[in-house]
Amino acid sequence: MDPPSEAAWEDFSAEAHRILDDTIAQMQHVREQAVWQPMPAAIQAAIAEAPAPIAERSLGAVYAELASRVLPYTSANRHPRAWGWVRGQGTPVAMLADMIASAANAHVGAGFTAPVHIEETVLRWLAEALGMQGAGAAEHAQPSGILTSGATMANLLGLAVARAAKAGYDVRQEGLSGRPRMLVYASTETHGWAAKAMELLGLGRRSLRSVAVDAAGRVQIEPLLRQIAADRAQGEQPFALIANAGTVNFGAVDDLRALRALCDEQDLWMHVDGAFGALLKLAPRYASLMDGLERADSVAFDLHKWMSLPFETGCLLVRDRAAHHAAFAAEAAYMEWSTRGVLSGGLSFANRGIESSRGFKALRVWMQLSVHGLRKHGALIAQNMEQAEHLEQRVLQHPELAMLAPRAMNIVCFRYVPAGHARTAAQLDACNREVVLRVQESGRFLISGTTLASGDYAIRVSITNHRSRLEDFDALVEWIVEEGRGQSARLL
């Protein structure tokens, strides 16, 4: 598998340098490229029907196929005008870190090797940045954490810690059979990960209590308290609350301070889904929107969103280190703890989650923060907030555009409304769905759509892009209005 000779290594090095140069050039000139383009049917078929390779091929030939058939048709997250869903763009430094990490091929599940220390370090940095370092009682002054594939996995692990900590018995040993139903509370705006987590943890979807939100999309405290009281009266066991620090639909932030007080009063574990919003703590001007997050029992968030790191980079922080360890720790004869050798220090990260095999994804975090620093990341997050405010004002000022939800953070939900004539809700939904698709297919912008709690379909612009400029959003408004007028005339 390695080049078989010195000459072959030299050929490989030359080809590798060419690929790296091409990749850097693609990133450098990404603004000049289409944001997204559909994959032609012929190329889809060529990939889908390709036989399993038997004989060897040259690296150059394989790269040429990759460059023509795959790279032009990715999901376009890195473009400055990509604002669909909530995605980061990747960075040149993180790209290099991934190359180095892949070459090192480190296992970051057990032992106290240098990569384990790197992950411990970045987790400490992140806990400090979110205010969790030293928050709470003295025994919790050193929080625990783990890097994950994303916030879905981080949220799942956080809820597993909560289940073990609040069950009142050894739930890992005994399971849930014959016990009172363990209940979790969350708002109706909570992301779909929560229902999946309830299934995977054996709690069942019926044990997830969905509570109504107010006009700003925040969970309502009084209905929440009534639901908890009613469940306890039925002999059920409430044990955890999921608070949202930026809902997926339009970025609403629950009252985290009030929910912390409620959890203390009701003896509930407070888990915060901060998939993208948690990192607002890095921007001093806007950090107050996250007040109370630092006192959560656990927080899940993504670094491949508002920190622009490549997929997959999520994080779970747990305020009680002992509780985190107790939820996952396991022993095996073939992974015996030792004070010496490769496994000195035990299973470390393998005892903080469900994965034993773990790669060196911490290196991309460590390198990016070491090169660019937390201050720059905070400034870029603040820039996105200002761009969202700018877009909101453009929408409010335009007679053919209408805001559909309050802008809490960096997500703007609005739609095109043709001037002059009344239209039914169904007609407006159809018009705006078509606008979103046509904007995507134009290759000029990447936006998404969503259906809000009101039932209205909204154009959704989620801004976590460090490469965007204000003029990009001005161009988007013009394009949407132009497309809206065309679709209005055709569909309405």
Side-chain angles (χ1 to χ4, degrees):
M1 302 262 266
D2 290 343
S5 66
E6 191 69 26
W9 272 109
E10 291 176 1
D11 290 344
F12 175 82
S13 178
E15 191 65 41
H17 278 82
R18 184 173 75 87
I19 293 172
L20 179 60
D21 287 343
D22 284 357
T23 303
I24 293 172
Q26 286 284 323
M27 297 185 84
Q28 180 181 359
H29 300 290
V30 66
R31 182 172 281 276
E32 302 160 23
Q33 303 159 27
V35 182
W36 176 81
Q37 54 186 340
M39 180 182 287
I43 293 181
Q44 291 185 46
I47 293 174
E49 298 166 9
I54 304 299
E56 293 185 74
R57 295 172 63 197
S58 71
L59 174 60
V62 173
Y63 173 64
E65 182 178 331
L66 176 71
S68 63
R69 292 183 175 179
V70 177
L71 296 181
Y73 308 107
T74 64
S75 56
N77 304 318
R78 65 185 183 177
H79 197 281
R81 291 182 170 183
W83 310 302
W85 301 277
V86 190
R87 296 171 176 174
Q89 302 74 50
T91 67
V93 168
M95 174 194 70
L96 293 176
D98 280 359
M99 180 182 70
I100 296 168
S102 183
N105 196 31
H107 185 284
V108 193
F112 276 120
T113 60
V116 169
H117 284 295
I118 289 291
E119 184 158 344
E120 290 282 19
T121 296
V122 300
L123 289 166
R124 175 173 55 81
W125 289 349
L126 292 168
E128 290 172 354
L130 268 58
M132 293 186 71
Q133 194 79 10
E139 64 268 28
H140 302 156
Q142 182 66 29
S144 179
I146 187 170
L147 295 180
T148 67
S149 59
T152 292
M153 179 58 71
N155 279 311
L156 169 64
L157 297 181
L159 214 55
V161 178
R163 183 187 63 168
K166 292 294 187 179
Y169 65 97
D170 189 347
V171 68
R172 294 180 63 190
Q173 180 72 21
E174 303 297 332
L176 299 169
S177 179
R179 304 280 183 170
R181 182 187 295 273
M182 296 184 69
L183 303 180
V184 177
Y185 300 83
S187 85
T188 53
E189 288 292 319
T190 300
H191 189 277
W193 72 263
K196 287 185 178 181
M198 298 297 284
E199 296 169 5
L200 289 168
L201 292 172
L203 298 166
R205 286 188 178 222
R206 288 177 57 195
S207 297
L208 178 63
R209 297 293 198 249
S210 295
V211 182
V213 297
D214 61 19
R218 300 169 300 193
V219 67
Q220 296 188 66
I221 303 295
E222 290 304 318
L224 173 57
L225 285 170
R226 288 195 297 271
Q227 182 68 63
I228 293 171
D231 289 331
R232 284 207 167 106
Q234 293 296 315
E236 312 283 26
Q237 183 181 351
F239 80 96
L241 168 73
I242 300 168
N244 289 305
T247 57
V248 67
N249 253 354
F250 57 94
V253 181
D254 288 333
D255 187 337
L256 302 179
R257 284 182 170 178
L259 293 179
R260 176 70 269 176
L262 182 150
C263 287
D264 289 340
E265 175 189 311
Q266 298 291 327
D267 190 27
L268 301 179
W269 183 279
M270 179 181 174
H271 175 76
V272 174
D273 177 3
F276 61 96
L279 290 172
L280 204 63
K281 281 277 193 180
L282 302 182
R285 180 180 171 189
Y286 301 101
S288 62
L289 292 173
M290 293 294 122
D291 281 354
L293 177 143
E294 68 283 349
R295 297 193 60 233
D297 293 303
S298 54
V299 179
F301 57 101
D302 277 322
L303 300 164
H304 58 229
K305 287 187 170 72
W306 230 345
M307 200 174 274
S308 299
L309 283 166
F311 290 104
E312 306 159 341
T313 323
C315 182
L316 170 69
L317 296 175
V318 180
R319 201 150 58 95
D320 187 334
R321 179 174 285 264
H324 189 184
H325 188 272
F328 299 107
E331 295 181 358
Y334 47 84
M335 296 290 277
E336 183 179 13
W337 182 89
S338 172
T339 58
R340 298 168 54 200
V342 175
L343 289 185
S344 63
L347 300 184
S348 51
F349 289 105
N351 274 346
R352 301 187 205 177
I354 61 175
E355 295 175 308
S356 295
S357 297
R358 302 182 67 251
F360 196 10
K361 67 180 64 183
L363 186 61
R364 67 178 71 143
V365 188
W366 184 86
M367 280 189 67
Q368 179 145 316
L369 288 177
S370 296
V371 171
H372 295 299
L374 288 166
R375 183 184 303 165
K376 182 171 184 177
H377 285 88
L380 291 169
I381 288 170
Q383 177 175 284
N384 286 157
M385 291 287 284
E386 292 157 7
Q387 289 165 341
E389 182 180 2
H390 176 80
L391 177 58
E392 176 188 36
Q393 290 303 311
R394 287 297 312 269
V395 170
L396 290 171
Q397 292 164 8
H398 201 288
E400 295 171 74
L401 298 175
M403 290 287 294
L404 289 189
R407 183 189 64 83
M409 290 171 49
N410 60 322
I411 297 175
V412 184
C413 289
F414 63 102
R415 68 176 170 186
Y416 176 77
V417 181
H421 302 328
R423 299 290 188 266
T424 67
Q427 288 175 322
L428 289 175
D429 287 350
C431 176
N432 281 276
R433 277 193 173 91
E434 186 64 21
V435 167
V436 168
L437 292 173
R438 286 182 172 264
V439 169
Q440 291 176 356
E441 291 168 349
S442 74
R444 293 173 179 260
F445 311 92
L446 183 65
I447 58 174
S448 61
T450 188
T451 299
L452 301 175
S454 62
D456 295 326
Y457 181 83
I459 297 169
R460 181 177 175 279
V461 179
S462 175
I463 307 168
T464 53
N465 196 318
H466 69 278
R467 299 187 175 115
S468 300
R469 304 169 185 164
L470 285 180
E471 56 263 33
D472 293 322
F473 300 98
D474 294 334
L476 173 67
V477 168
E478 294 172 7
W479 194 266
I480 285 176
V481 170
E482 181 179 342
E483 284 292 344
R485 288 170 178 167
Q487 294 316 304
S488 175
R490 189 175 71 87
L491 295 174
L492 308 184

